[in-house]
Amino acid sequence: MTSPLAKAAGPIAVVSGVVFAAVDVARLLAADRSRERIDMMRQTPFIAANALYWVVFIGLVLALVAVYFRLGGRAGGLGAVAFCFALVGTLDMAGNMWFDGFAGPWIADVAPGAILAGGSGMLAVGGLSSYVLFAAGWIVFGIAGWRSHMFPAWIGLLFVVAGLLGYNAGLPPYGIPIGLAMAVLGWWIIRTGAPAAHNRPAS
């Protein structure tokens, strides 16, 4: 029996990808660079946009799972590797964005000096891991997903480029490419009907 998530993978990927990109645009618009950093972090539009960015990471993860349920059966072990790399990197970055969206504004109010001091020690290690794993995860997803015939080469290339740019996805607008790549993958699934494992993928 086909999973409901697999059946809805195309629309889920399109909607989550478009909303992900749109929220990153909102983050870009909400960041008033004319203000001091702490003052900017206390502004309601900035706080709301950053909190929403974590929310849309949930959608991105759900889209990834739905896509794998739909396409992973024809991709074998290499497709599983692609899925796992992207999942780990996205979850790691989602944790980073939760901190920015919810802990950051509170720290800006009660201990602004901690924000201005910058990260060090384990905080710096954790932050760097999210940037590296997020970028590497989507790059591997693009390469392995294409090589395993989970999707066409041109979609794989989109994810590779989006992954490279996604190293800076903690800052707008560098999350937009990942959102758009996921939306394109969803569109391809809808357009082609996502051929089953025994069919050749569309090119």
Side-chain angles (χ1 to χ4, degrees), residues 5 9 12-13 16 56-68 87:
L5 274 178
I12 289 172
S16 67
V56 295
F57 261 89
I58 298 173
L60 187 64
V61 169
L62 290 176
L64 176 62
V65 171
V67 164
Y68 182 69
L87 183 63

Side-chain angles (χ1 to χ4, degrees), residues 8-167:
I12 289 172
V14 169
V15 172
S16 67
V18 169
V19 173
F20 190 92
V23 170
D24 207 33
V25 171
R27 292 173 71 222
L28 183 65
L29 297 176
D32 186 353
R33 303 297 180 183
S34 66
R35 297 176 178 270
E36 296 291 333
R37 184 179 180 188
I38 297 300
D39 188 29
M40 180 182 70
M41 291 180 66
R42 291 170 172 165
Q43 300 303 306
T44 299
F46 183 86
I47 293 171
N50 272 358
L52 280 175
Y53 195 49
W54 174 75
V55 173
V56 295
F57 261 89
I58 298 173
L60 187 64
V61 169
L62 290 176
L64 176 62
V65 171
V67 164
Y68 182 69
F69 281 1
R70 180 71 174 259
L71 306 177
R74 63 195 188 134
L78 192 57
V81 169
F83 168 72
C84 289
F85 264 86
L87 183 63
V88 169
T90 304
L91 290 175
D92 196 2
M93 181 62 87
N96 192 335
M97 294 303 99
W98 181 93
F99 183 89
D100 283 358
F102 296 94
W106 176 75
I107 295 173
D109 278 337
V110 302
I115 300 289
L116 298 176
S120 61
M122 291 303 293
L123 182 60
V125 171
L128 181 61
S129 76
S130 67
Y131 307 140
V132 172
L133 290 177
F134 185 75
W138 287 105
I139 291 170
V140 171
F141 182 77
I143 295 173
W146 159 51
R147 295 292 297 170
S148 65
H149 303 295
M150 194 156 59
F151 42 70
W154 64 272
I155 292 181
L157 180 60
L158 286 180
F159 278 109
V160 169
V161 173
L164 289 170
L165 296 173
Y167 177 80

